[in-house]
Amino acid sequence: MRYWKTGMMALGLLPLALSQAFAGEAKTSTTDPTAQYQAAGSPLAGVEMHQDINPKAPPMTKAEFDKARNIYFERCAGCHGVLRKGATGKPLTTDKTLAAGTDYLKVFIKYGSPAGMPNWGTSGELSDDEVDLMARYIQQTPPQPPEYGMKEMKDTWKIIIPPEKRPTKKMNDYNISNIFSTTLRDTGEVALIDGDTKKIISVVKTGYAVHISRLSASGRYLFVIGRDAKINMIDLWMEKPDNVAEIRVGLEARSVDTSKYKGYEDKYAIAGSYWPPQYVIMNGDTLEPLKIVSTRGLTVDTQEYHPEPRVASIVASHFKPEFVVNVKETGKTLMVDYSDITNLRSTEIGSARFLHDGGWDSSKRYFMVAANQSNKIAAIDAKDGKLAGLVEVGKIPHPGRGANFEHPKYGPVWATGHLGDDTIAVIGTDPKGHKQYAWKQVDTLKSQGGGSLFIKTHPKSTHLYVDNPLHPDPKVSQSVAVYDVKNLKAGYTVLPIGEWAGLKDDGAKRVVQPEYNKAGNEVWFSVWSAKNKESAIVVVDDTTLKLKTVIRDPRLITPTGHFNVYNTQHDVY
C-alpha cells in the first residue's frame, strides 16, 4: 500500500484515485448515525490556544490557524481527540499527517471513508477552501488548551444563596418528586416542568447544552452540567426553584453526581471533565471544589500512556461511600472512596476502552457501562469492587441508563440499543438466581434501525421504549418503537411521536429520550427540532399507548434530555 501510494503521488494521480475510490461511499457517509454523534461540537472551539509554528508543515497565517482550530473543535475533536492522539477516531499526529501530505489529506477530508470518516466536502459541510485549510491545519503541531486547576475553578465559583439563607422547609406547592428537568440544549437553560399539570414552572439559566440532570440523595437539590463544564445547583424547595450555587470545573465536561451512601447523603458532589482529563469532588451544598484528581494514564489493553482520557460518566454507589468514575480512553472504572477525601483512595477496574454511559441493574449492585467503540458492555460489581463480566454486543452500544425488566426465561435482564446497528442487546444480570445466563447476551431484538440513544422501561410497566433520533430516515427518527416485555417475540409497535406533536413547521422533529413519570403510567418524549424551529414534549399513556397531551411553549427551544426527579433520585429505569 505504501509503495502504491508513493507511486501515485509521484504521478500526481493520488487525489483522482482516492476520489474515485471514495465517491460511492461519500454520498452516504454523513448520514451514518455514528459519524453524526461523534462529530458533535466542543466548547473548546472558542478557547484561545498558542500556535506553534512547525517549519515542516504548510504555512498558515494566525487567522487561518484560528479558523481551522475552531472547525477542528466543532467537528473533529470528538473523534480524534483534543490533542489529536486519537480517541474513537484514528490519531492525527504530525508523524502521520506530514507523511501523508496535503493532497492526500484533502481528498480524505473531502470524500470521507467507508470506515466512518464523514465526507465533509462532498456533503457541503466544508467548502473546498475549508478542506484545504483543514488539510494544512492537521499537519501543524496540535495546540493544547490550557489546564484548569483549583484557582481557575474558584475564580468561577459562586454561592448565590448561602445554605443558611435557604428555606428550612419546602416553600411551594409543587409535587417535587414528579418534576421533570428538561434540557433546552441551544439556549443554555433547563425547563422545570410540573409532571402533574404539564406546565412549565420556571426556565433556569445553566451552562451550554446541559448533558445530564442529577438529584441529591434527599431529592431537594438538582444538579445540571453543561458541555462547557458549568455546574448549576438548583434548590427545588424555593418558592420558585432557581440556582443557589454554580461553578465551572473545566473547559468541557459531561458528568455530575452526588453522594448517596447512608451517612453521606448530600455531603459531596463530583464532576468529571473531558478537558482537562480529571474529576473534582466538591462540597455538596455549596459546590466549593475540594479535591481534583487527574485521569491521565495507561490504557487497559495496550498499556500505553494516553494524555487525555476523558471522564465519561459518574454514578454514586449504593453499597459503599464510593463514586463510580468511568474513564473513556483508558477503559478503566475508578471506584473512588469519598469517606476520607484528604487521604483519597480508589480501586481501578479495567474492562475495555471507550467507556461511555450506563446504568445500574435492578439490584443496583452492578453498574452496566457501555465501552461503545469496543462494542462491549462491562458489568462493574459495586459491592466487591470487581469486574463481574464483559459482554460482546452490537455496534456502538448507547444505553443512556439502559432498561431493566424481568425476562420470562432469563430472569432479571438489562438492555441497550445501539448507534451503529438495528439490534437491542438483552443481557442477563442475576448471578444468583440465573447463574448460567449472568453477564451473557441472552437475547437480541430487532429494532427500527441504528441511531438509538436511549432505551427505557419502568418497574410498573410492561413496555420497553427505544428511540432512534440519529437515524437518517425521518420516519424512524420521528417515531419510537415499543415492545411488550412479556411477549418480545411479537416485535414492536411504532408510535408516530413526531406526527402527534402537531408542529406546523418543517423542523427535524427528532424524538429523543423516553422518560417515565413517577407513577410509571406516562412516558414523556422530547420532539427536538432546530433552534429556529418549533419543538415540543409529547406525553403518552403507557397503558393504552395513546397520545395523552402535547406540551408546547415558545420557551421549549431544542429540548433534548429530560429527567424525572423521583426516578433520577432513586435510579429507577
Side-chain angles (χ1 to χ4, degrees):
M1 175 69 178
R2 185 177 66 181
Y3 299 109
W4 173 85
K5 177 185 164 185
T6 304
M8 295 293 280
M9 291 182 81
L11 293 171
L13 298 176
L14 178 63
L16 176 60
L18 283 175
S19 67
Q20 291 172 342
F22 293 145
E25 295 289 341
K27 295 176 182 177
T28 57
S29 291
T30 54
T31 62
D32 175 69
T34 306
Q36 290 185 51
Y37 178 71
Q38 298 292 353
S42 164
L44 291 170
V47 176
E48 183 67 27
M49 300 179 201
H50 173 68
Q51 180 183 2
D52 183 5
I53 305 298
N54 186 339
K56 296 182 180 180
M60 295 191 81
T61 67
K62 180 66 164 60
E64 286 180 323
F65 180 85
D66 288 342
K67 181 179 179 180
R69 175 176 54 79
N70 286 342
I71 292 173
Y72 180 82
F73 282 103
E74 286 173 353
R75 302 175 187 271
C76 314
C79 277
H80 299 289
V82 170
L83 302 178
R84 304 210 309 260
K85 296 283 188 179
T88 51
K90 298 291 185 183
L92 294 176
T93 47
T94 53
D95 59 319
K96 294 177 171 59
T97 57
L98 285 169
T102 302
D103 287 342
Y104 177 89
L105 295 171
K106 283 169 64 176
V107 172
F108 197 73
I109 294 168
K110 181 171 182 175
Y111 291 97
S113 80
M117 169 72 173
N119 53 319
W120 295 113
T122 57
S123 68
E125 294 280 345
L126 296 179
S127 68
D128 284 347
D129 286 344
E130 288 171 329
V131 167
D132 175 76
L133 184 71
M134 296 310 297
R136 289 184 286 131
Y137 173 78
I138 60 175
Q139 296 176 72
Q140 312 294 319
T141 302
Q144 179 167 319
E147 297 294 326
Y148 205 92
M150 186 62 73
K151 178 185 180 303
E152 289 77 13
M153 290 187 194
K154 286 197 171 181
D155 285 346
T156 69
W157 172 47
K158 296 179 183 177
I159 301 178
I160 299 166
I161 301 177
E164 64 272 16
K165 293 186 178 181
R166 296 172 195 167
T168 56
K169 62 180 181 179
K170 190 164 79 79
M171 302 298 292
N172 57 61
D173 295 327
Y174 300 118
N175 177 10
I176 286 178
S177 62
N178 200 34
I179 287 175
F180 286 75
S181 173
T182 299
T183 297
L184 306 181
R185 188 186 188 282
D186 292 335
T187 63
E189 298 169 322
V190 294
L192 303 181
I193 305 177
D194 188 327
D196 295 344
T197 66
K198 314 297 189 292
K199 302 293 184 183
I200 294 178
I201 295 169
S202 61
V203 174
V204 182
K205 294 299 296 183
T206 62
Y208 170 71
V210 163
H211 192 66
I212 56 172
S213 298
R214 293 291 179 259
L215 271 296
S216 63
S218 65
R220 172 176 180 172
Y221 293 111
L222 173 70
F223 295 78
V224 300
I225 187 164
R227 287 176 178 255
D228 58 359
K230 183 178 180 181
I231 301 172
N232 290 81
M233 181 179 179
I234 300 168
D235 188 353
L236 299 177
W237 277 16
M238 294 170 64
E239 185 175 355
K240 184 179 180 182
D242 207 343
N243 289 312
V244 293
E246 65 180 43
I247 190 172
R248 195 173 181 195
V249 296
L251 298 176
E252 184 172 4
R254 296 291 188 277
S255 52
V256 67
D257 212 334
T258 66
S259 54
K260 292 185 170 64
Y261 189 68
K262 187 176 181 180
Y264 293 89
E265 297 93 337
D266 295 16
K267 184 172 184 178
Y268 294 119
I270 184 173
S273 300
Y274 268 29
W275 187 269
Q278 61 192 29
Y279 63 85
V280 57
I281 298 174
M282 298 161 283
N283 188 304
D285 62 359
T286 66
L287 296 182
E288 177 186 6
L290 303 173
K291 186 86 169 185
I292 303 171
V293 181
S294 173
T295 56
R296 292 179 170 102
L298 303 177
T299 60
V300 69
D301 46 10
T302 58
Q303 301 285 293
E304 293 176 294
Y305 178 75
H306 201 293
E308 51 170 311
R310 299 172 286 183
V311 178
S313 59
I314 300 175
V315 293
S317 171
H318 298 271
F319 280 84
K320 297 177 184 178
E322 290 182 335
F323 292 119
V324 184
V325 179
N326 296 284
V327 186
K328 197 176 187 79
E329 278 72 25
T330 54
K332 296 176 180 179
T333 297
L334 309 177
M335 311 297 285
V336 179
D337 184 342
Y338 55 75
S339 62
D340 180 1
I341 67 169
T342 300
N343 303 290
L344 194 69
R345 296 178 298 172
S346 67
T347 300
E348 179 185 290
I349 302 171
S351 53
R353 294 183 67 184
F354 310 116
L355 296 178
H356 190 61
D357 204 356
W360 295 107
D361 79 307
S362 57
S363 72
K364 297 181 175 63
R365 173 173 173 173
Y366 302 97
F367 186 66
M368 310 292 290
V369 58
N372 55 15
Q373 289 288 49
S374 296
N375 302 328
K376 294 178 174 67
I377 298 291
I380 306 297
D381 186 342
K383 182 177 180 181
D384 291 344
K386 296 179 179 179
L387 178 68
L390 192 60
V391 187
E392 292 276 354
V393 292
K395 184 179 179 183
I396 322 292
H398 195 287
R401 287 297 185 103
N404 291 298
F405 58 94
E406 188 81 15
H407 194 283
K409 178 178 179 180
Y410 306 114
V413 296
W414 179 91
T416 180
H418 299 87
L419 270 165
D421 68 30
D422 64 353
T423 65
I424 297 165
V426 181
I427 299 169
T429 60
D430 183 18
K432 287 188 176 180
H434 298 78
K435 185 177 180 180
Q436 68 273 38
Y437 303 127
W439 323 130
K440 297 177 181 177
Q441 184 171 333
V442 295
D443 202 356
T444 302
L445 310 179
K446 186 174 177 60
S447 74
Q448 292 196 84
S452 176
L453 292 181
F454 298 98
I455 184 170
K456 190 63 67 75
T457 188
H458 189 279
K460 295 180 180 179
S461 173
T462 61
H463 292 129
L464 176 69
Y465 296 83
V466 183
D467 69 16
N468 299 90
L470 297 184
H471 196 281
D473 184 347
K475 290 183 179 179
V476 177
S477 66
Q478 295 179 10
S479 65
V480 66
V482 189
Y483 299 78
D484 181 348
V485 297
K486 293 184 177 180
N487 186 17
L488 293 170
K489 292 182 179 179
Y492 55 82
T493 299
V494 176
L495 303 185
I497 304 297
E499 178 183 323
W500 285 352
L503 303 179
K504 297 177 182 178
D505 61 35
D506 59 350
K509 304 173 190 173
R510 298 184 188 93
V511 175
V512 63
Q513 194 161 346
E515 176 78 347
Y516 281 82
N517 63 344
K518 178 185 177 181
N521 58 16
E522 292 178 355
V523 187
W524 291 39
F525 301 90
S526 287
V527 182
W528 167 30
S529 287
K531 186 175 182 178
N532 61 344
K533 302 289 184 179
E534 187 182 13
S535 294
I537 303 290
V538 170
V539 181
V540 172
D541 186 311
D542 181 62
T543 303
T544 65
L545 301 184
K546 302 295 184 183
L547 174 64
K548 191 165 187 178
T549 190
V550 178
I551 304 172
R552 295 189 191 89
D553 190 293
R555 293 173 290 177
L556 287 177
I557 298 171
T558 58
T560 50
H562 43 268
F563 303 84
N564 176 267
V565 164
Y566 181 87
N567 294 337
T568 305
Q569 177 189 356
H570 296 281
D571 292 312
V572 177
Y573 39 82

